[in-house]
């Protein structure tokens, strides 16, 4: 999605690519249970790597809260800075000078719990996989109890900003994380079978991972069953009221 936004911006405007922001939302554990819990807790033990005007910076995990509108079926959700690999790959491969990623969950008090863990639990504990696994075993039954209420909706929003004021977004929202992952995996498998990829291991935004001409078909296939799928549209299509808290650098 990010690669397509950048490609379209370069093809359709004369402005420079300035900023790319990833926003993610998953209700509860998203049906993934202990897996997503363990990953989330481990990420709380890592500094957030982001880029501001080409400079690599490190920020506190689960800080810099923004209230982002994910549009139809999801609405406005709080999201927080998290150390995700697409930040670095988008900066290096797509050449975007300012990049960051944020994540949020529901019910809202799970976010409060994540903030508390990031601030109160020693980093050494969060970087110890065995100890994190013990924490997951304690928390998982409680999370699963609320999963039945929260559901497993998932949404991804990517925002691209250019120097000439051309701003575009991409949104992918689905009622079930488990179903969306299966569909997206199948879409990539078809791309491999059709010869749209090169041998090896690549980031999705690399042309060797999925050739530029095949991205549109890939995204159309991956979006099957979504409740909202938007690409290369202006931000006003989703009314956004974003307020940043506790972060001096607006990324």
């Amino acid at each position: 999605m990010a690669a397509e936004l950048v490609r379209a911006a370069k093809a359709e405007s004369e402005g420079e690519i300035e900023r790319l922001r990833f926003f993610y939302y998953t209700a509860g554990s998203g049906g993934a249970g202990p897996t997503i819990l363990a990953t989330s807790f481990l990420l709380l033990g890592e500094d957030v790597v982001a880029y501001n005007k080409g400079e690599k910076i490190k920020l506190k995990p689960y800080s810099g809260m923004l209230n982002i509108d994910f549009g139809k079926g999801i609405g406005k959700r709080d999201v927080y800075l998290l150390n995700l690999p697409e930040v670095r790959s988008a900066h290096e491969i797509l050449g975007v000078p300012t990049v960051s990623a944020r994540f949020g969950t529901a019910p809202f008090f799970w976010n409060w719990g994540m903030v508390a863990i990031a601030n109160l639990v020693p980093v050494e504990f969060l970087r110890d996989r065995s100890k994190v696994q013990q924490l997951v075993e304690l928390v998982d039954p409680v999370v699963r109890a609320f999963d039945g209420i929260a559901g497993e909706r998932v949404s991804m929003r990517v925002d691209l900003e250019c120097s000439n004021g051309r701003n575009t977004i991409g949104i992918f929202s689905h009622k079930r994380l488990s179903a969306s992952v299966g569909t997206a995996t199948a879409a990539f498998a078809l791309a491999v079978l059709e010869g749209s990829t090169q041998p090896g291991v690549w980031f999705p935004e690399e042309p060797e991972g999925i050739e530029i001409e095949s991205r549109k078909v890939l995204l159309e296939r991956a979006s099957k069953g979504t409740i909202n799928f938007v690409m290369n549209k202006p931000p006003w299509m989703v009314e956004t009221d974003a307020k940043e808290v506790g972060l001096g650098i607006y990324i």
Side-chain angles (χ1 to χ4, degrees):
M1 289 172 65
E4 269 299 278
L5 290 177
V6 171
R7 181 203 60 78
K10 289 181 176 179
E12 299 171 12
S13 70
E14 298 179 356
E16 296 293 324
I17 305 296
E18 287 193 334
R19 180 166 67 169
L20 186 65
R21 295 191 293 173
F22 296 91
F23 304 114
Y24 300 97
Y25 164 78
T26 303
S29 67
T35 303
I36 195 170
L37 282 177
T39 302
S40 300
F41 291 156
L42 288 168
L43 286 173
L44 293 180
E46 299 180 6
D47 289 333
V48 174
V49 173
Y51 294 87
N52 183 49
K53 298 180 180 179
E55 178 187 357
K56 180 180 178 180
I57 57 176
K58 292 186 177 181
L59 304 164
K60 188 174 181 59
Y62 238 72
S63 63
M65 186 270 285
L66 283 175
N67 184 252
I68 293 297
D69 196 335
F70 288 92
K72 182 175 64 176
I74 305 296
K76 293 181 179 181
R77 303 289 177 174
D78 292 342
V79 290
Y80 303 76
L81 286 164
L82 209 57
N83 190 38
L84 299 176
E86 54 268 42
V87 171
R88 178 179 175 182
S89 61
H91 172 71
E92 295 182 353
I93 297 168
L94 300 179
V96 184
T98 300
V99 191
S100 62
R102 286 175 169 82
F103 168 82
T105 186
F108 62 90
F109 46 77
W110 288 151
N111 288 319
W112 296 353
M114 294 284 280
V115 171
I117 291 173
N119 284 281
L120 300 177
V121 177
V123 172
E124 294 75 17
F125 181 98
L126 295 172
R127 293 179 179 175
D128 187 321
R129 290 179 177 271
S130 61
K131 291 181 179 178
V132 167
Q133 187 57 43
Q134 293 174 9
L135 178 60
V136 168
E137 291 173 0
L138 289 174
V139 175
D140 183 54
V142 181
V143 172
R144 286 184 179 274
F146 281 95
D147 272 2
I149 301 172
E152 56 173 297
R153 295 194 177 215
V154 62
S155 186
M156 300 179 285
R157 171 171 168 161
V158 186
D159 286 37
L160 179 69
E161 298 179 16
C162 301
S163 60
N164 63 351
R166 184 187 191 279
N167 301 330
T168 51
I169 65 171
I171 295 179
F172 175 103
S173 300
H174 201 288
K175 287 184 178 179
R176 296 180 59 205
L177 173 63
S178 55
S180 68
V181 169
T183 302
T185 302
F188 270 100
L190 278 172
V192 173
L193 293 173
E194 292 169 349
S196 299
T197 66
Q198 296 296 317
V201 179
W202 312 96
F203 287 105
E205 59 267 43
E206 292 183 285
E208 296 88 352
I210 177 73
E211 60 186 22
I212 296 173
E213 296 77 12
S214 300
R215 285 176 185 161
K216 183 177 180 181
V217 173
L218 176 88
L219 289 171
E220 287 175 350
R221 288 170 172 170
S223 67
K224 298 297 183 183
T226 55
I227 54 178
N228 192 22
F229 179 66
V230 174
M231 278 298 299
N232 287 315
K233 299 298 182 182
W236 54 260
M237 292 195 68
V238 178
E239 294 183 3
T240 304
D241 180 19
K243 182 180 181 182
E244 188 142 12
V245 179
L247 183 62
I249 303 174
Y250 186 52
I251 60 173

mmCIF file of all heavy atoms in Angstrom, residues 21 23 63-69 76-80 102 239-247 249-251:
data_model
loop_
_atom_site.group_PDB
_atom_site.id
_atom_site.type_symbol
_atom_site.label_atom_id
_atom_site.label_comp_id
_atom_site.label_asym_id
_atom_site.label_seq_id
_atom_site.Cartn_x
_atom_site.Cartn_y
_atom_site.Cartn_z
ATOM 1 N N ARG A 21 3.245 7.738 7.096
ATOM 2 C CA ARG A 21 2.893 7.266 8.439
ATOM 3 C C ARG A 21 1.990 6.043 8.346
ATOM 4 O O ARG A 21 1.017 6.027 7.608
ATOM 5 C CB ARG A 21 2.209 8.373 9.243
ATOM 6 C CG ARG A 21 3.117 9.555 9.526
ATOM 7 C CD ARG A 21 2.518 10.502 10.530
ATOM 8 N NE ARG A 21 1.331 11.164 10.003
ATOM 9 C CZ ARG A 21 0.528 11.945 10.720
ATOM 10 N NH1 ARG A 21 0.772 12.137 12.005
ATOM 11 N NH2 ARG A 21 -0.519 12.526 10.176
ATOM 12 N N PHE A 23 -0.529 3.460 10.367
ATOM 13 C CA PHE A 23 -1.419 3.355 11.532
ATOM 14 C C PHE A 23 -2.104 1.991 11.491
ATOM 15 O O PHE A 23 -2.664 1.599 10.471
ATOM 16 C CB PHE A 23 -2.483 4.454 11.523
ATOM 17 C CG PHE A 23 -1.929 5.857 11.458
ATOM 18 C CD1 PHE A 23 -2.151 6.650 10.345
ATOM 19 C CD2 PHE A 23 -1.180 6.374 12.509
ATOM 20 C CE1 PHE A 23 -1.649 7.941 10.277
ATOM 21 C CE2 PHE A 23 -0.674 7.667 12.452
ATOM 22 C CZ PHE A 23 -0.910 8.454 11.323
ATOM 23 N N SER A 63 4.236 5.566 23.117
ATOM 24 C CA SER A 63 4.089 6.989 23.449
ATOM 25 C C SER A 63 3.536 7.694 22.210
ATOM 26 O O SER A 63 3.176 7.050 21.225
ATOM 27 C CB SER A 63 5.446 7.588 23.837
ATOM 28 O OG SER A 63 6.352 7.533 22.741
ATOM 29 N N GLY A 64 3.471 9.021 22.235
ATOM 30 C CA GLY A 64 3.054 9.800 21.073
ATOM 31 C C GLY A 64 1.683 9.422 20.552
ATOM 32 O O GLY A 64 1.491 9.221 19.345
ATOM 33 N N MET A 65 0.701 9.339 21.440
ATOM 34 C CA MET A 65 -0.636 8.908 21.047
ATOM 35 C C MET A 65 -1.285 9.850 20.024
ATOM 36 O O MET A 65 -1.177 11.063 20.124
ATOM 37 C CB MET A 65 -1.537 8.808 22.281
ATOM 38 C CG MET A 65 -2.914 8.215 21.999
ATOM 39 S SD MET A 65 -4.152 9.454 21.547
ATOM 40 C CE MET A 65 -4.503 10.195 23.125
ATOM 41 N N LEU A 66 -1.938 9.253 19.022
ATOM 42 C CA LEU A 66 -2.746 9.986 18.057
ATOM 43 C C LEU A 66 -4.128 9.359 18.002
ATOM 44 O O LEU A 66 -4.274 8.140 18.141
ATOM 45 C CB LEU A 66 -2.131 9.929 16.654
ATOM 46 C CG LEU A 66 -0.927 10.802 16.335
ATOM 47 C CD1 LEU A 66 -0.428 10.496 14.936
ATOM 48 C CD2 LEU A 66 -1.276 12.268 16.458
ATOM 49 N N ASN A 67 -5.142 10.178 17.807
ATOM 50 C CA ASN A 67 -6.496 9.673 17.600
ATOM 51 C C ASN A 67 -6.760 9.709 16.099
ATOM 52 O O ASN A 67 -6.880 10.773 15.518
ATOM 53 C CB ASN A 67 -7.515 10.526 18.361
ATOM 54 C CG ASN A 67 -8.922 9.972 18.262
ATOM 55 O OD1 ASN A 67 -9.766 10.529 17.587
ATOM 56 N ND2 ASN A 67 -9.176 8.866 18.938
ATOM 57 N N ILE A 68 -6.808 8.534 15.480
ATOM 58 C CA ILE A 68 -6.881 8.431 14.026
ATOM 59 C C ILE A 68 -8.221 7.839 13.584
ATOM 60 O O ILE A 68 -8.720 6.889 14.182
ATOM 61 C CB ILE A 68 -5.729 7.545 13.499
ATOM 62 C CG1 ILE A 68 -4.386 8.228 13.732
ATOM 63 C CG2 ILE A 68 -5.900 7.227 12.020
ATOM 64 C CD1 ILE A 68 -4.210 9.534 12.987
ATOM 65 N N ASP A 69 -8.784 8.407 12.523
ATOM 66 C CA ASP A 69 -10.036 7.908 11.963
ATOM 67 C C ASP A 69 -9.732 6.852 10.905
ATOM 68 O O ASP A 69 -9.165 7.162 9.859
ATOM 69 C CB ASP A 69 -10.822 9.062 11.346
ATOM 70 C CG ASP A 69 -12.277 8.692 11.108
ATOM 71 O OD1 ASP A 69 -12.568 7.496 10.956
ATOM 72 O OD2 ASP A 69 -13.125 9.602 11.079
ATOM 73 N N LYS A 76 -12.819 6.235 14.836
ATOM 74 C CA LYS A 76 -11.623 6.840 15.422
ATOM 75 C C LYS A 76 -11.059 5.961 16.543
ATOM 76 O O LYS A 76 -11.807 5.501 17.407
ATOM 77 C CB LYS A 76 -11.947 8.229 15.969
ATOM 78 C CG LYS A 76 -12.298 9.236 14.887
ATOM 79 C CD LYS A 76 -12.579 10.614 15.473
ATOM 80 C CE LYS A 76 -12.910 11.612 14.370
ATOM 81 N NZ LYS A 76 -13.169 12.963 14.924
ATOM 82 N N ARG A 77 -9.758 5.766 16.501
ATOM 83 C CA ARG A 77 -9.081 4.928 17.488
ATOM 84 C C ARG A 77 -7.765 5.567 17.906
ATOM 85 O O ARG A 77 -7.098 6.225 17.107
ATOM 86 C CB ARG A 77 -8.790 3.536 16.907
ATOM 87 C CG ARG A 77 -10.019 2.798 16.408
ATOM 88 C CD ARG A 77 -10.902 2.346 17.551
ATOM 89 N NE ARG A 77 -12.122 1.701 17.061
ATOM 90 C CZ ARG A 77 -13.015 1.109 17.843
ATOM 91 N NH1 ARG A 77 -12.807 1.059 19.151
ATOM 92 N NH2 ARG A 77 -14.100 0.562 17.329
ATOM 93 N N ASP A 78 -7.379 5.349 19.164
ATOM 94 C CA ASP A 78 -6.087 5.835 19.651
ATOM 95 C C ASP A 78 -5.005 4.864 19.215
ATOM 96 O O ASP A 78 -5.151 3.646 19.350
ATOM 97 C CB ASP A 78 -6.090 5.951 21.174
ATOM 98 C CG ASP A 78 -7.008 7.053 21.677
ATOM 99 O OD1 ASP A 78 -7.368 7.940 20.878
ATOM 100 O OD2 ASP A 78 -7.369 7.022 22.873
ATOM 101 N N VAL A 79 -3.913 5.414 18.707
ATOM 102 C CA VAL A 79 -2.772 4.590 18.298
ATOM 103 C C VAL A 79 -1.488 5.169 18.882
ATOM 104 O O VAL A 79 -1.389 6.373 19.115
ATOM 105 C CB VAL A 79 -2.669 4.497 16.758
ATOM 106 C CG1 VAL A 79 -3.799 3.661 16.191
ATOM 107 C CG2 VAL A 79 -2.669 5.888 16.116
ATOM 108 N N TYR A 80 -0.500 4.295 19.093
ATOM 109 C CA TYR A 80 0.723 4.671 19.803
ATOM 110 C C TYR A 80 1.959 4.194 19.025
ATOM 111 O O TYR A 80 1.915 3.185 18.320
ATOM 112 C CB TYR A 80 0.735 4.037 21.195
ATOM 113 C CG TYR A 80 -0.459 4.379 22.042
ATOM 114 C CD1 TYR A 80 -1.700 3.766 21.807
ATOM 115 C CD2 TYR A 80 -0.360 5.292 23.084
ATOM 116 C CE1 TYR A 80 -2.805 4.072 22.589
ATOM 117 C CE2 TYR A 80 -1.466 5.595 23.872
ATOM 118 C CZ TYR A 80 -2.682 4.990 23.616
ATOM 119 O OH TYR A 80 -3.776 5.303 24.394
ATOM 120 N N ARG A 102 2.397 3.489 14.106
ATOM 121 C CA ARG A 102 1.649 3.457 15.368
ATOM 122 C C ARG A 102 0.642 2.316 15.354
ATOM 123 O O ARG A 102 0.154 1.909 14.304
ATOM 124 C CB ARG A 102 0.919 4.787 15.597
ATOM 125 C CG ARG A 102 1.825 5.937 16.005
ATOM 126 C CD ARG A 102 1.034 7.242 16.086
ATOM 127 N NE ARG A 102 1.778 8.308 16.720
ATOM 128 C CZ ARG A 102 2.681 9.079 16.102
ATOM 129 N NH1 ARG A 102 2.946 8.872 14.816
ATOM 130 N NH2 ARG A 102 3.305 10.042 16.755
ATOM 131 N N GLU A 239 -12.821 11.827 7.669
ATOM 132 C CA GLU A 239 -12.704 12.976 8.561
ATOM 133 C C GLU A 239 -11.793 12.613 9.713
ATOM 134 O O GLU A 239 -12.109 11.772 10.542
ATOM 135 C CB GLU A 239 -14.079 13.390 9.082
ATOM 136 C CG GLU A 239 -14.992 13.924 7.986
ATOM 137 C CD GLU A 239 -16.314 14.400 8.526
ATOM 138 O OE1 GLU A 239 -16.491 14.370 9.768
ATOM 139 O OE2 GLU A 239 -17.161 14.803 7.728
ATOM 140 N N THR A 240 -10.641 13.273 9.771
ATOM 141 C CA THR A 240 -9.636 12.932 10.762
ATOM 142 C C THR A 240 -9.428 14.073 11.736
ATOM 143 O O THR A 240 -9.247 15.211 11.336
ATOM 144 C CB THR A 240 -8.293 12.609 10.076
ATOM 145 O OG1 THR A 240 -8.513 11.576 9.122
ATOM 146 C CG2 THR A 240 -7.264 12.161 11.078
ATOM 147 N N ASP A 241 -9.440 13.737 12.993
ATOM 148 C CA ASP A 241 -9.139 14.705 14.039
ATOM 149 C C ASP A 241 -7.985 14.138 14.832
ATOM 150 O O ASP A 241 -8.162 13.422 15.808
ATOM 151 C CB ASP A 241 -10.359 14.913 14.943
ATOM 152 C CG ASP A 241 -10.091 15.909 16.057
ATOM 153 O OD1 ASP A 241 -9.126 16.684 15.924
ATOM 154 O OD2 ASP A 241 -10.840 15.925 17.037
ATOM 155 N N ALA A 242 -6.769 14.421 14.390
ATOM 156 C CA ALA A 242 -5.575 13.832 14.995
ATOM 157 C C ALA A 242 -4.943 14.794 15.976
ATOM 158 O O ALA A 242 -4.586 15.898 15.639
ATOM 159 C CB ALA A 242 -4.577 13.453 13.909
ATOM 160 N N LYS A 243 -4.818 14.356 17.210
ATOM 161 C CA LYS A 243 -4.185 15.172 18.239
ATOM 162 C C LYS A 243 -3.058 14.392 18.854
ATOM 163 O O LYS A 243 -3.241 13.312 19.395
ATOM 164 C CB LYS A 243 -5.216 15.559 19.312
ATOM 165 C CG LYS A 243 -4.628 16.461 20.386
ATOM 166 C CD LYS A 243 -5.670 16.820 21.417
ATOM 167 C CE LYS A 243 -5.114 17.740 22.493
ATOM 168 N NZ LYS A 243 -6.083 18.066 23.528
ATOM 169 N N GLU A 244 -1.876 14.937 18.787
ATOM 170 C CA GLU A 244 -0.692 14.244 19.290
ATOM 171 C C GLU A 244 -0.447 14.623 20.750
ATOM 172 O O GLU A 244 -0.586 15.773 21.136
ATOM 173 C CB GLU A 244 0.523 14.596 18.437
ATOM 174 C CG GLU A 244 1.723 13.790 18.783
ATOM 175 C CD GLU A 244 2.524 13.428 17.543
ATOM 176 O OE1 GLU A 244 2.262 13.992 16.478
ATOM 177 O OE2 GLU A 244 3.413 12.589 17.670
ATOM 178 N N VAL A 245 -0.064 13.625 21.526
ATOM 179 C CA VAL A 245 0.158 13.849 22.950
ATOM 180 C C VAL A 245 1.543 13.364 23.351
ATOM 181 O O VAL A 245 1.954 12.257 23.000
ATOM 182 C CB VAL A 245 -0.903 13.084 23.785
ATOM 183 C CG1 VAL A 245 -0.645 13.293 25.260
ATOM 184 C CG2 VAL A 245 -2.308 13.561 23.413
ATOM 185 N N GLY A 246 2.287 14.200 24.067
ATOM 186 C CA GLY A 246 3.524 13.771 24.695
ATOM 187 C C GLY A 246 4.695 13.533 23.762
ATOM 188 O O GLY A 246 5.576 12.741 24.074
ATOM 189 N N LEU A 247 4.727 14.152 22.600
ATOM 190 C CA LEU A 247 5.831 13.957 21.669
ATOM 191 C C LEU A 247 6.195 15.288 21.059
ATOM 192 O O LEU A 247 5.381 15.951 20.435
ATOM 193 C CB LEU A 247 5.423 12.970 20.555
ATOM 194 C CG LEU A 247 6.516 12.612 19.546
ATOM 195 C CD1 LEU A 247 7.672 11.916 20.250
ATOM 196 C CD2 LEU A 247 5.955 11.720 18.463
ATOM 197 N N ILE A 249 8.391 15.913 18.594
ATOM 198 C CA ILE A 249 8.583 15.887 17.152
ATOM 199 C C ILE A 249 7.340 15.285 16.500
ATOM 200 O O ILE A 249 6.937 14.177 16.838
ATOM 201 C CB ILE A 249 9.830 15.056 16.790
ATOM 202 C CG1 ILE A 249 11.063 15.626 17.486
ATOM 203 C CG2 ILE A 249 10.030 15.033 15.282
ATOM 204 C CD1 ILE A 249 12.308 14.789 17.290
ATOM 205 N N TYR A 250 6.750 16.015 15.586
ATOM 206 C CA TYR A 250 5.519 15.556 14.939
ATOM 207 C C TYR A 250 5.877 14.676 13.756
ATOM 208 O O TYR A 250 6.264 15.165 12.700
ATOM 209 C CB TYR A 250 4.686 16.752 14.486
ATOM 210 C CG TYR A 250 3.334 16.396 13.946
ATOM 211 C CD1 TYR A 250 2.484 15.591 14.687
ATOM 212 C CD2 TYR A 250 2.921 16.861 12.701
ATOM 213 C CE1 TYR A 250 1.232 15.262 14.190
ATOM 214 C CE2 TYR A 250 1.672 16.542 12.192
ATOM 215 C CZ TYR A 250 0.831 15.738 12.950
ATOM 216 O OH TYR A 250 -0.412 15.408 12.448
ATOM 217 N N ILE A 251 5.829 13.370 13.937
ATOM 218 C CA ILE A 251 6.188 12.439 12.867
ATOM 219 C C ILE A 251 5.026 11.490 12.580
ATOM 220 O O ILE A 251 4.131 11.343 13.386
ATOM 221 C CB ILE A 251 7.460 11.624 13.209
ATOM 222 C CG1 ILE A 251 7.215 10.821 14.487
ATOM 223 C CG2 ILE A 251 8.660 12.521 13.343
ATOM 224 C CD1 ILE A 251 8.327 9.862 14.808
#
